[in-house]
Amino acid sequence: MSAPLCVVAGAGRLAAGYVAPLLAETGWQVVLVSRSREVVDAVQRGAGLTVAVVGPRDMRRWIGGVQAMNRLDPRLPGLVAGADLVATSVGPGALCDVGTWLGPLLRRRLDTKAAPLNVVTFENHRRAPELLAEGLLAAAPSLAGELGRRLGLAGSAVWSVVSRREVEPGGLTLYTDGVTEAYVDRRGVLDGVAPLDGSVPGLRPVEPFDAWMAEKLWLFNGGHAAAAYLGFLAGCATVDEALARPRLRAEVRAVLAEAAAALGGHSGSPSDARLDAILTRYADPALADPVTRVAREPRRKLAPGDRLIGPAVAARGVGVQPAALARVAAAALAYREPSDPQAVALDAELRLLGPAEVLATISQLHPSDELSRLVCASYHDLVRGA
């Protein structure tokens, strides 16, 4: 019996450093679909990829059973037609585009193979399935009748940090903290079909998924973003460098405490020990996580319900003043990284409109809202300080 096959749209840090190893080490064949010729060649040259787990468990392991190809490769339609699982890990902004080329391939898969199929989005984004569905249905409208019947579509929350993807002489190497904790939305996947058939033990189905996604996004990603934005403003190159400064570490810890209080109103507040463990993961110098990687796309991180505004609004709902979260939201507004198109565009908007109007547009906060006033006051302080 041949090994099951998963086609993954994406070959970035999470796709190659988490999804591919998770599946390949449990007996799956994995095909990564990448736009980068350099990455495709590196995976093919190494006949797989290497995962370097850094930190206390420092080790390197080679992962076989992984291939890579461009999405225009003529073999791809046949591979999707024979797939047992399809996944995405491309970033939320690219999901609709991925859906437009993946939709016809999934239609063909359902027409040529009777078995149902699940599609799992590894994006750490609350609306990832909906964003992908927009592209799928635009390109293949008949898939609407298959969703929930023969085609499952679900989001996931992954706690692993994959800080770097490097093309090396021996192939592709991913640097990660080795954390395998991950959850998939039980409501979106079909029963008895991979990954719920026992073939992928690393993925835990949960319901209600939004509570788990909120913890990942508001707590872990929110604190991570805080370290990156505050670190950038302080001139730090990496997250661990930022957390080596006591003042910045205390500010990030305050963000975690506010996010934990916000979560307490939803699903139970995480313990202090969990918050300290998360802070320790950020501070691991072996990861050398660049602040510009974690801070990229500030508009997305300032969106309603996302890692900065979501917990700040929820914290106010349980009587907590989100001063630390407001300061980080202000730092995201003040993020001036010239290589980040969102940061450049945001800077131009701020010069034209000011922070209150920008927050009204991006975060849907009315200028008279108390949270908007908190963020704007912190923003003006940061700009004056700079």
Side-chain angles (χ1 to χ4, degrees), residues 221-377:
N221 290 42
H224 211 193
Y229 288 125
L230 297 173
F232 179 86
L233 292 178
C236 301
T238 60
V239 169
D240 62 283
E241 181 186 345
L243 290 179
R245 302 188 183 187
R247 179 182 62 82
L248 295 184
R249 189 181 184 101
E251 287 191 71
V252 175
R253 184 61 171 76
V255 167
L256 292 177
E258 291 177 1
L263 286 166
H266 290 258
S267 56
S269 182
S271 67
D272 285 343
R274 183 160 176 77
L275 302 189
D276 291 336
I278 289 172
L279 200 62
T280 299
R281 284 181 63 192
Y282 300 154
D284 187 350
L287 278 173
D289 212 350
V291 296
T292 51
R293 181 194 81 80
V294 181
R296 67 186 178 185
E297 299 182 351
R299 289 183 67 96
R300 175 164 63 88
K301 294 174 173 64
L302 287 164
D306 211 284
R307 66 209 70 193
L308 302 180
I309 302 301
V313 170
R316 289 178 61 207
V318 294
V320 173
Q321 182 82 324
L325 280 161
R327 180 171 169 77
V328 172
L333 287 176
Y335 181 58
R336 301 286 188 266
E337 169 53 44
S339 67
D340 188 324
Q342 277 198 19
V344 173
L346 187 58
D347 183 36
E349 288 180 55
L350 286 162
R351 292 175 187 275
L352 180 65
L353 301 172
E357 290 300 323
V358 169
L359 283 171
T361 302
I362 298 175
S363 309
Q364 296 181 11
L365 295 176
H366 192 277
S368 64
D369 185 279
E370 182 184 358
L371 179 57
S372 177
R373 293 200 299 268
L374 273 174
V375 175
C376 290

Side-chain angles (χ1 to χ4, degrees), residues 159 181 209-222 259 263 267-268 270 274 278:
W159 285 77
E181 184 179 356
F209 175 71
D210 198 54
W212 298 84
M213 187 73 245
E215 181 172 347
K216 171 62 169 64
L217 195 63
W218 292 2
L219 191 65
F220 189 85
N221 290 42
L263 286 166
S267 56
R274 183 160 176 77
I278 289 172

Side-chain angles (χ1 to χ4, degrees), residues 43-231:
V43 174
Q44 297 301 81
R45 182 170 67 249
L49 48 84
T50 299
V51 173
V53 179
V54 300
R57 296 181 291 165
D58 193 19
M59 59 176 288
R60 294 170 73 96
R61 67 186 192 277
W62 177 77
I63 309 294
V66 180
Q67 303 176 52
M69 63 178 56
N70 186 276
R71 75 175 182 87
L72 299 178
D73 192 302
R75 296 171 296 167
L76 183 59
L79 288 170
V80 174
D84 301 283
L85 176 67
V86 171
T88 74
S89 185
V90 293
L95 279 172
C96 190
D97 179 61
V98 166
T100 61
W101 62 259
L102 187 57
L105 302 186
L106 291 177
R107 180 70 268 178
R108 175 178 172 179
R109 159 63 175 73
L110 294 175
D111 290 342
T112 59
K113 190 172 181 178
L117 176 73
N118 279 321
V119 179
V120 179
T121 59
F122 291 89
E123 308 291 349
N124 287 327
H125 189 279
R126 301 174 87 166
R127 295 190 59 247
E130 290 89 342
L131 295 172
L132 179 62
E134 288 180 18
L136 294 176
L137 299 180
S142 65
L143 288 177
E146 304 287 1
L147 287 170
R149 298 177 58 226
R150 291 201 298 153
L151 185 66
L153 178 56
S156 69
V158 178
W159 285 77
S160 177
V161 174
V162 185
S163 62
R164 305 195 306 282
R165 181 192 69 177
E166 295 184 2
V167 175
E168 299 179 342
L172 193 68
T173 301
L174 289 303
Y175 293 83
T176 173
D177 63 358
V179 173
T180 59
E181 184 179 356
Y183 305 92
V184 63
D185 187 351
R186 178 67 183 77
R187 298 165 301 175
V189 283
L190 303 176
D191 285 330
V193 182
L196 295 191
D197 59 352
S199 61
V200 190
L203 276 182
R204 177 181 169 188
V206 294
E207 187 178 352
F209 175 71
D210 198 54
W212 298 84
M213 187 73 245
E215 181 172 347
K216 171 62 169 64
L217 195 63
W218 292 2
L219 191 65
F220 189 85
N221 290 42
H224 211 193
Y229 288 125
L230 297 173

